[in-house]
Amino acid sequence: DAGVIQSPRHEVTEMGQEVTLRCKPISGHNSLFWYRQTMMRGLELLIYFNNNVPIDDSGMPEDRFSAKMPNASFSTLKIQPSEPRDSAVYFCASSPGQGAGSDTQYFGPGTRLTVL
Amino acid sequence: KNQVEQSPQSLIILEGKNCTLQCNYTVSPFSNLRWYKQDTGRGPVSLTIMTFSENTKSNGRYTATLDADTKQSSLHITASQLSDSASYICVVSPGGYQKVTFGTGTKLQVIP
């Protein structure tokens, strides 16, 4: 298996633009997680899905952020409009089981987002 | 509030030496504790996972210990190699549908 796939790997955009990050989880995994990582705050869970259904989005910073999982093999994280403080590395992870992460999570390579 | 604290924040050691990283947590209830290794520019990778009843778990030169009574864990690296240079993140899970709590990590640098 190729592991968790994320695209793009790097994104540079201007403030106010819409940004869409994409994730393909490991086939057969039931849970998908979106994280944001910064030097100041470390890894923060934004939202997670079980069987394509959003279970907890309490980590989404504000309404500018939205996430979807239309099927078991694809998820998107959208920021509209983007702001400089959104600059971070965004990771997608998947795990075989249900729940919020009792299983080992397999992380993608991340998308480094820079908002100018 | 669930918290995971790691120490030291950063560490520099000579190649071939051993080191120990610490993790203290206040997460309750407790289901499991994991150590992840994150190389620069990459996603975290799981090293070990321990449940309440396990006090030691090894993965090659990495040995994790857990004291569930004092809510402390350590990660010991034996005979360090340059490739061990990375951030090490402690993650504690309450289980079920409750979110896990991440520590802020220890950045380890192994120098020749």
Side-chain angles (χ1 to χ4, degrees), chain A residues 35-51:
Chain A
Y35 291 92
R36 177 171 67 178
Q37 187 176 40
T38 61
M39 289 291 291
M40 292 295 294
R41 301 172 68 96
L43 270 167
E44 301 174 278
L45 178 64
L46 301 177
I47 184 172
Y48 77 93
F49 297 81
N50 281 170
N51 296 327

Side-chain angles (χ1 to χ4, degrees), chain B residues 24-64:
Chain B
N24 297 337
Y25 62 93
T26 59
V27 176
S28 183
F30 174 85
S31 174
N32 61 64
L33 182 148
R34 282 166 290 171
W35 284 93
Y36 282 89
K37 178 187 179 189
Q38 185 176 19
D39 292 315
T40 301
R42 307 191 72 166
V45 174
S46 178
L47 290 174
T48 63
I49 177 169
M50 289 182 292
T51 59
F52 184 88
S53 58
E54 297 174 296
N55 352 69
T56 303
K57 185 73 72 79
S58 290
N59 178 356
R61 294 179 298 100
Y62 301 100
T63 299

